[in-house]
Coordinates of all heavy atoms in Angstrom, one line a residue:
E1 N 14.0 -188.6 -15.0 CA 13.0 -187.5 -14.5 C 13.2 -186.1 -15.1 O 14.1 -185.4 -14.7 CB 13.2 -187.4 -13.0 CG 12.9 -188.8 -12.2 CD 13.0 -188.7 -10.8 OE1 13.3 -187.6 -10.3 OE2 12.7 -189.7 -10.1
R2 N 12.4 -185.9 -16.1 CA 12.5 -184.7 -16.8 C 11.7 -183.6 -16.4 O 10.7 -183.9 -15.7 CB 12.2 -184.9 -18.3 CG 13.1 -185.9 -19.0 CD 14.6 -185.5 -19.1 NE 14.7 -184.2 -19.6 CZ 14.9 -184.1 -20.8 NH1 14.9 -185.1 -21.8 NH2 15.0 -182.8 -21.4
H3 N 12.1 -182.4 -16.5 CA 11.4 -181.2 -16.1 C 10.0 -181.1 -16.8 O 10.1 -181.2 -18.0 CB 12.1 -179.9 -16.2 CG 11.4 -178.7 -15.9 ND1 11.0 -178.3 -14.6 CD2 10.9 -177.7 -16.8 CE1 10.3 -177.3 -14.7 NE2 10.3 -176.8 -15.9
H4 N 9.0 -180.8 -16.1 CA 7.7 -180.6 -16.7 C 7.6 -179.3 -17.3 O 7.9 -178.2 -16.8 CB 6.7 -180.7 -15.7 CG 6.4 -182.2 -15.2 ND1 5.7 -183.1 -15.9 CD2 6.9 -182.8 -14.2 CE1 5.7 -184.2 -15.1 NE2 6.5 -184.0 -14.1
G5 N 7.3 -179.1 -18.5 CA 7.2 -177.9 -19.3 C 5.8 -177.1 -18.9 O 5.0 -177.7 -18.1
R6 N 5.8 -175.9 -19.4 CA 4.7 -175.1 -19.1 C 3.3 -175.7 -19.6 O 3.3 -176.3 -20.6 CB 4.8 -173.7 -19.7 CG 5.9 -172.9 -19.0 CD 6.2 -171.6 -19.8 NE 4.9 -170.8 -19.9 CZ 4.9 -169.9 -20.7 NH1 5.8 -169.3 -21.4 NH2 3.7 -169.1 -20.8
G7 N 2.4 -175.7 -18.8 CA 1.1 -176.3 -19.1 C 0.9 -177.8 -18.6 O -0.1 -178.3 -18.7
E8 N 2.1 -178.3 -18.0 CA 2.0 -179.6 -17.5 C 1.9 -179.5 -15.9 O 1.9 -178.4 -15.3 CB 3.3 -180.4 -17.8 CG 3.5 -180.6 -19.4 CD 4.7 -181.4 -19.7 OE1 4.8 -182.5 -19.2 OE2 5.5 -180.9 -20.4
S9 N 1.8 -180.7 -15.3 CA 1.4 -180.6 -13.9 C 2.5 -180.2 -13.0 O 2.4 -179.7 -11.9 CB 1.0 -182.1 -13.4 OG 2.0 -183.0 -13.6
G10 N 3.8 -180.3 -13.5 CA 4.9 -179.7 -12.7 C 5.4 -180.5 -11.5 O 6.3 -180.1 -10.9
G11 N 5.0 -181.8 -11.3 CA 5.7 -182.6 -10.3 C 4.9 -182.6 -9.0 O 3.8 -182.2 -8.9
S12 N 5.8 -182.9 -8.0 CA 5.1 -183.2 -6.7 C 4.8 -181.9 -5.9 O 4.2 -182.1 -4.8 CB 6.1 -184.1 -5.9 OG 7.3 -183.4 -5.6
L13 N 5.4 -180.9 -6.2 CA 5.3 -179.7 -5.1 C 4.4 -178.5 -5.6 O 4.3 -177.6 -4.8 CB 6.7 -179.1 -4.8 CG 7.6 -180.0 -3.9 CD1 8.9 -179.3 -3.7 CD2 6.9 -180.3 -2.6
L14 N 3.8 -178.6 -6.7 CA 2.9 -177.5 -6.9 C 1.8 -177.9 -7.9 O 2.0 -178.5 -9.0 CB 3.7 -176.4 -7.6 CG 2.9 -175.1 -8.0 CD1 2.2 -174.5 -6.8 CD2 3.6 -174.1 -8.8
L15 N 0.6 -177.5 -7.5 CA -0.5 -177.6 -8.4 C -1.6 -176.6 -8.1 O -1.9 -176.3 -6.9 CB -1.2 -178.9 -8.4 CG -2.3 -179.2 -9.3 CD1 -2.0 -179.2 -10.8 CD2 -3.0 -180.5 -9.1
L16 N -1.9 -175.7 -9.0 CA -2.8 -174.6 -8.7 C -4.2 -175.2 -8.9 O -4.5 -175.7 -10.0 CB -2.6 -173.4 -9.6 CG -1.4 -172.6 -9.4 CD1 -1.2 -171.5 -10.3 CD2 -1.1 -172.2 -8.0
L17 N -5.1 -175.1 -7.9 CA -6.4 -175.7 -7.9 C -7.5 -174.7 -7.8 O -7.3 -173.8 -7.1 CB -6.5 -176.8 -6.7 CG -5.6 -178.0 -6.8 CD1 -6.0 -178.9 -5.5 CD2 -5.9 -178.8 -8.0
D18 N -8.6 -174.9 -8.6 CA -9.8 -174.2 -8.4 C -9.6 -172.6 -8.6 O -10.0 -171.8 -7.8 CB -10.5 -174.4 -7.0 CG -11.8 -173.8 -7.0 OD1 -12.5 -173.8 -8.0 OD2 -12.3 -173.4 -5.9
L19 N -8.7 -172.2 -9.5 CA -8.5 -170.8 -9.7 C -9.3 -170.3 -10.9 O -9.1 -170.9 -12.0 CB -7.0 -170.6 -10.0 CG -6.1 -170.7 -8.8 CD1 -4.6 -170.5 -9.3 CD2 -6.4 -169.7 -7.8
R20 N -10.2 -169.4 -10.7 CA -11.0 -168.8 -11.8 C -10.9 -167.3 -11.8 O -11.6 -166.6 -11.3 CB -12.5 -169.3 -11.6 CG -12.7 -170.7 -11.5 CD -12.5 -171.4 -12.9 NE -12.7 -172.8 -12.9 CZ -11.9 -173.8 -12.5 NH1 -10.6 -173.4 -12.1 NH2 -12.3 -174.9 -12.5
F21 N -9.7 -166.8 -12.4 CA -9.5 -165.4 -12.5 C -10.1 -164.8 -13.6 O -10.0 -165.2 -14.8 CB -8.0 -165.2 -12.6 CG -7.2 -165.3 -11.4 CD1 -6.7 -166.6 -11.1 CD2 -6.9 -164.3 -10.6 CE1 -5.9 -166.9 -9.9 CE2 -6.1 -164.5 -9.4 CZ -5.6 -165.8 -9.1
P22 N -11.0 -163.8 -13.4 CA -11.6 -163.1 -14.5 C -10.5 -162.4 -15.2 O -9.4 -162.0 -14.6 CB -12.5 -161.9 -13.9 CG -12.0 -161.9 -12.4 CD -11.4 -163.2 -12.1
S23 N -10.6 -162.0 -16.5 CA -9.6 -161.5 -17.3 C -9.2 -160.0 -16.9 O -8.1 -159.5 -17.1 CB -9.9 -161.5 -18.8 OG -11.0 -160.8 -19.1
Q24 N -10.2 -159.4 -16.3 CA -10.0 -158.0 -15.9 C -11.0 -157.8 -14.8 O -12.2 -158.1 -14.8 CB -10.2 -157.0 -17.1 CG -9.8 -155.6 -16.7 CD -9.9 -154.7 -17.9 OE1 -10.6 -155.0 -18.9 NE2 -9.3 -153.6 -17.9
F25 N -10.6 -157.0 -13.7 CA -11.4 -156.8 -12.5 C -10.8 -155.6 -11.7 O -9.7 -155.3 -11.8 CB -11.5 -158.1 -11.7 CG -10.3 -158.8 -11.5 CD1 -9.3 -158.3 -10.6 CD2 -10.0 -159.9 -12.2 CE1 -8.2 -159.0 -10.4 CE2 -8.9 -160.6 -12.0 CZ -7.8 -160.2 -11.0
S26 N -11.7 -155.1 -10.9 CA -11.4 -153.9 -10.1 C -10.5 -154.5 -8.9 O -10.5 -155.6 -8.6 CB -12.6 -153.3 -9.6 OG -13.2 -154.1 -8.6
G27 N -10.0 -153.5 -8.1 CA -9.2 -153.8 -6.9 C -10.2 -154.7 -5.9 O -9.7 -155.7 -5.3
K28 N -11.4 -154.2 -5.7 CA -12.4 -155.0 -4.9 C -12.6 -156.2 -5.4 O -12.6 -157.3 -4.6 CB -13.6 -154.1 -4.7 CG -14.6 -154.7 -3.7 CD -15.9 -153.9 -3.6 CE -16.9 -154.5 -2.7 NZ -17.3 -155.9 -3.0
Q29 N -12.9 -156.4 -6.6 CA -13.2 -157.7 -7.3 C -11.9 -158.7 -7.2 O -12.0 -159.9 -6.9 CB -13.6 -157.5 -8.8 CG -14.9 -157.0 -8.9 CD -15.1 -156.6 -10.4 OE1 -14.1 -156.3 -11.2 NE2 -16.4 -156.7 -10.9
L30 N -10.8 -158.1 -7.2 CA -9.5 -158.8 -7.0 C -9.4 -159.4 -5.7 O -9.3 -160.6 -5.5 CB -8.3 -157.9 -7.4 CG -7.0 -158.6 -7.0 CD1 -6.6 -159.7 -8.0 CD2 -5.8 -157.4 -7.0
K31 N -9.8 -158.6 -4.7 CA -9.6 -159.0 -3.3 C -10.7 -160.1 -3.1 O -10.4 -161.2 -2.4 CB -10.0 -157.9 -2.4 CG -9.8 -158.3 -0.8 CD -10.3 -157.2 0.1 CE -11.8 -157.0 -0.1 NZ -12.3 -155.9 1.0
D32 N -11.9 -160.0 -3.5 CA -13.1 -160.9 -3.4 C -12.8 -162.2 -4.0 O -13.0 -163.3 -3.5 CB -14.4 -160.3 -3.7 CG -14.9 -159.2 -2.8 OD1 -14.2 -159.0 -1.7 OD2 -15.7 -158.4 -3.3
S33 N -12.1 -162.1 -5.2 CA -11.9 -163.3 -5.9 C -10.7 -164.1 -5.3 O -10.9 -165.3 -5.1 CB -11.5 -163.0 -7.4 OG -11.1 -164.1 -8.1
L34 N -9.7 -163.5 -5.0 CA -8.5 -164.1 -4.5 C -8.6 -164.7 -3.1 O -8.1 -165.8 -2.7 CB -7.2 -163.2 -4.5 CG -6.7 -162.9 -5.9 CD1 -5.4 -162.0 -5.8 CD2 -6.5 -164.1 -6.7
M35 N -9.3 -164.0 -2.3 CA -9.5 -164.3 -1.0 C -10.4 -165.6 -0.9 O -10.2 -166.3 0.2 CB -10.2 -163.3 -0.1 CG -9.2 -162.1 0.2 SD -10.0 -161.0 1.5 CE -11.4 -160.4 0.7
K36 N -11.2 -165.9 -1.8 CA -12.0 -167.0 -1.6 C -11.5 -168.3 -2.6 O -12.1 -169.1 -2.8 CB -13.4 -166.7 -2.2 CG -14.1 -165.6 -1.3 CD -15.4 -165.2 -1.9 CE -16.0 -164.2 -1.0 NZ -17.4 -163.7 -1.5
K37 N -10.3 -168.2 -3.1 CA -9.5 -169.1 -3.7 C -8.5 -169.8 -2.9 O -7.9 -169.1 -2.1 CB -9.0 -168.7 -5.1 CG -10.1 -168.1 -6.0 CD -11.3 -169.1 -6.3 CE -12.4 -168.3 -7.2 NZ -13.5 -169.4 -7.4
I38 N -8.1 -171.0 -3.3 CA -7.0 -171.6 -2.4 C -5.8 -172.1 -3.4 O -6.1 -172.6 -4.5 CB -7.5 -173.0 -1.9 CG1 -8.8 -172.6 -0.9 CG2 -6.4 -173.7 -1.2 CD1 -9.4 -173.9 -0.4
F39 N -4.6 -171.6 -3.1 CA -3.5 -172.1 -3.7 C -3.0 -173.4 -3.0 O -2.8 -173.3 -1.8 CB -2.3 -171.2 -3.7 CG -2.5 -170.0 -4.6 CD1 -2.8 -168.7 -4.2 CD2 -2.2 -170.2 -6.0 CE1 -2.8 -167.7 -5.1 CE2 -2.2 -169.1 -6.9 CZ -2.6 -167.9 -6.5

């Protein structure tokens, strides 16, 4: 059982789903974007 490297799924305890971060945004855009996404 080897460690998953960066860019791999990382095993049983973590997967980031449905994250669509714009490359640059305002504080308001940050709030609206993050509040509507699920970790």
Side-chain angles (χ1 to χ4, degrees):
E1 295 183 0
R2 299 298 303 279
H3 172 72
H4 291 275
R6 289 173 57 187
E8 300 179 55
S9 63
S12 63
L13 284 185
L14 178 65
L15 182 64
L16 295 180
L17 296 180
D18 192 29
L19 288 174
R20 301 292 184 268
F21 285 85
S23 61
Q24 189 174 17
F25 40 77
S26 68
K28 181 179 183 301
Q29 289 170 328
L30 171 68
K31 182 187 74 171
D32 292 343
S33 176
L34 290 183
M35 284 193 302
K36 296 177 183 178
K37 303 300 179 183
I38 303 171
F39 282 110

